[in-house]
Amino acid sequence: MLYYLKKTWLDSSLTILCQIITSGVAVFAALASMKALDGLLEQDATLFFWGLTAHLGAWAISFTASHLETVFHYRALQKINGLERRDMTAALIGKSHQEYHSKESGTYLSGFTNDISQMEQLGWEPFFNLFGTISQIISSLIALAALHWSLMALSLILGIIMILLPKIFDKKLNHAGENCSKLQAQAVSSFKDLLMGYDVLQSFGKIKNLYKGTEYASGQMEVPRYKLKILRSLAGNGMGFISVVFQVLVRLLAGILILMGKLNLSVMVSVSTICAQVYNGLKELVNLQLSFSAGKPYFKHLTVHDNGNSEKDATKMLPFSHSIQVKHLSFQYDRKPVLEDVSFTFEKGKKYALTGPSGCGKSTLLKLILGWLPDYRGNIYFDQQDIRTIVPEALEEQISYIEQNVFLFNTTIRENITLGESFTEEQINNAIEKSALVNDLSSMPDGLDTVVGEEGRNLSGGQKQRVAIARALIHNRSILLVDEGTSALDTQNADLVEQSLLANQDLTLILISHHLSPKRRQQFDKVYTLEAHTI
């Protein structure tokens, strides 16, 4: 938490200052009210008037400080939430391809939404309230000491007891918080899975499964949250009752002192108010402590801080100039062999095809060349440089990749092609022409500025592939890896795109295809056929 406080020190400091002012002035208002009552009992109009004026002025200051505290508080939270999401992004960027895909996307989505919300409610809100609560307790104890030292002493002893009691709930709340975080992440993933599978359920007449799945996921999300709130309520209300018992004991002492003639009767009104401030503050302090215990599991996810440099310091590579060599390469998924002792060479500027049945390792090979799957045996060299010595980011600066299942962001076709970079209209038009996207754009009302929808749902499979091809071409990498990148295109457009790629003399092309006609085979410099883990 200290890291984020340093980043938002001004708004956080002003929030804490306003909290202290608000709480301290409220105690002064109680003392001013006591003085006004003394004025009535003593028939002193001046004392009564000034007591009321001070009481009113104190509350005016308190409400002003409370409003300013709200402004600074939520401005600080807005910045902190942004920083936390940035750090979550930095943690994702720091993961390898394998590590990233070892978890469901719903887990990451839950981190950006639910975890941020829980950290705010269980961590940051209690943290900022903590200072106001402590200020309220200290100022109230000082006010009690000003009335009589024994009132402060008793309140202090009982307060220490009250603070120590909640320790019995700490472990239970911590465990409940961890369980809540885990199950809510699973629930988000379940909801996402149901929504993505809507068409499948509908096509098989199983749409009622959507109700069952939603009910199950809702239970995953709500039951642990319900249990956590019940546990917090039990602890909070139990401590609330103890707070009332302790207030009664202090008032009893004040009554005895009044009966002994050591205090005025008006003190009882102030003691009741100030005593309530002390024990309500202590009760709130206990609740804040319980919130921190429940919120700890969420903060454990923030293990990486982004310090303004979202990109890794990649090992620099010279421009690709000679060949990619794969030597005695073996790879397996969970002890299931995919590639076994395979070797081949891809020379600069030449065109290669990989063919073979599903599951023979074609897609895996491309991911190995990209550096996404590090746990392999053998060697892969870029111009005699082992890729184990190069981070994936450096490789990706020289490689474009068109995946089998094209993903498009929910923005315009232009943004999906450029990915936020600046290109000239000539460059964009050239990429559109070579990807056979021209005719599609002419039939769209907004052309390049057409919004593709979530995961590109407004486009056909072929149109999505053409956008992906344009995206790969415009970034002008020296190596292009294509995983069935033209499978959704009709024969005419597929030939047009492939001819464009094959005609580019500077481009090193490695293309996966399940089926190649004899005529198409002749267009490649070499065709590798993978079968049963071998070439």
Side-chain angles (χ1 to χ4, degrees), residues 48-122:
F48 174 68
F49 173 76
W50 285 112
L52 283 181
T53 303
H55 178 78
L56 182 62
W59 279 113
I61 294 172
S62 178
F63 283 120
T64 301
S66 178
H67 171 69
L68 292 174
E69 184 270 335
T70 300
V71 173
F72 298 131
H73 181 181
Y74 287 104
R75 197 158 70 185
L77 283 178
Q78 181 182 5
K79 294 177 181 177
I80 287 170
N81 288 344
L83 288 168
E84 287 173 341
R85 288 191 177 97
R86 187 178 180 87
D87 287 345
M88 288 180 178
T89 303
L92 292 182
I93 292 172
K95 292 179 181 291
S96 68
H97 181 271
Q98 221 167 358
E99 287 175 321
Y100 178 82
H101 288 283
S102 65
K103 292 183 179 180
E104 295 289 337
S105 58
T107 302
Y108 301 125
L109 180 61
S110 178
F112 283 108
T113 53
N114 179 66
D115 284 9
I116 293 292
S117 175
Q118 293 294 344
M119 283 188 283
E120 181 178 318
Q121 293 177 25
L122 300 177

Side-chain angles (χ1 to χ4, degrees), residues 475-494:
H475 286 85
N476 198 30
R477 301 292 195 259
S478 57
I479 304 164
L480 177 59
L481 310 182
V482 183
D483 190 349
E484 292 286 348
T486 59
S487 60
L489 304 184
D490 57 63
T491 304
Q492 183 180 353
N493 280 321

Side-chain angles (χ1 to χ4, degrees), residues 260-492:
M260 292 173 63
K262 294 185 178 182
L263 293 175
N264 295 331
L265 182 60
S266 63
V267 169
M268 181 57 79
V269 176
S270 295
V271 165
S272 297
T273 303
I274 296 171
C275 190
Q277 291 269 47
V278 171
Y279 289 104
N280 286 340
L282 286 171
K283 178 189 173 186
E284 179 64 17
L285 197 63
V286 169
N287 287 334
L288 297 180
Q289 185 180 348
L290 296 174
S291 289
F292 280 131
S293 295
K296 282 179 183 177
Y298 297 97
F299 284 92
K300 288 179 182 178
H301 299 164
L302 295 173
T303 56
V304 176
H305 295 309
D306 177 71
N307 294 309
N309 181 18
S310 61
E311 297 181 1
K312 294 182 178 179
D313 295 326
T315 304
K316 295 298 181 182
M317 285 181 64
L318 294 174
F320 180 57
S321 63
H322 187 260
S323 67
I324 301 170
Q325 291 182 308
V326 177
K327 295 185 176 182
H328 306 293
L329 182 69
S330 297
F331 183 81
Q332 59 185 26
Y333 287 112
D334 297 327
R335 299 183 180 179
K336 179 184 178 182
V338 179
L339 295 169
E340 289 185 358
D341 195 27
V342 296
S343 301
F344 30 53
T345 299
F346 304 107
E347 295 182 10
K348 176 178 170 56
K350 291 190 176 182
K351 311 301 183 281
Y352 298 86
L354 299 176
T355 66
S358 297
C360 67
K362 301 185 301 296
S363 298
T364 299
L365 175 62
L366 298 191
K367 292 175 181 178
L368 287 163
I369 292 173
L370 282 164
W372 288 357
L373 305 174
D375 300 324
Y376 60 88
R377 288 181 287 113
N379 299 93
I380 303 173
Y381 297 98
F382 270 68
D383 293 336
Q384 306 302 317
Q385 186 175 3
D386 195 318
I387 68 166
R388 286 191 177 95
T389 66
I390 311 167
V391 295
E393 289 74 17
L395 292 174
E396 290 158 10
E397 287 179 359
Q398 305 202 41
I399 303 175
S400 284
Y401 174 56
I402 301 176
E403 64 274 85
Q404 187 170 4
N405 298 312
V406 173
F407 177 83
L408 298 183
F409 295 95
N410 187 11
T411 182
T412 64
I413 293 175
R414 184 190 301 274
E415 284 295 316
N416 270 289
I417 291 173
T418 63
L419 295 179
E421 289 190 33
S422 297
F423 295 97
T424 65
E425 286 300 314
E426 183 182 355
Q427 288 174 311
I428 294 174
N429 290 333
N430 186 46
I432 290 171
E433 184 177 344
K434 289 182 177 179
S435 62
L437 194 57
V438 175
N439 291 335
D440 296 297
L441 293 177
S442 64
S443 64
M444 296 178 184
D446 297 320
L448 272 172
D449 296 317
T450 299
V451 176
V452 304
E454 186 176 348
E455 297 189 7
R457 68 184 179 191
N458 296 338
L459 305 184
S460 68
Q463 289 171 333
K464 288 166 66 174
Q465 281 195 334
R466 287 190 279 276
V467 172
I469 292 165
R471 177 164 61 195
L473 292 174
I474 202 169
H475 286 85
N476 198 30
R477 301 292 195 259
S478 57
I479 304 164
L480 177 59
L481 310 182
V482 183
D483 190 349
E484 292 286 348
T486 59
S487 60
L489 304 184
D490 57 63
T491 304
Q492 183 180 353

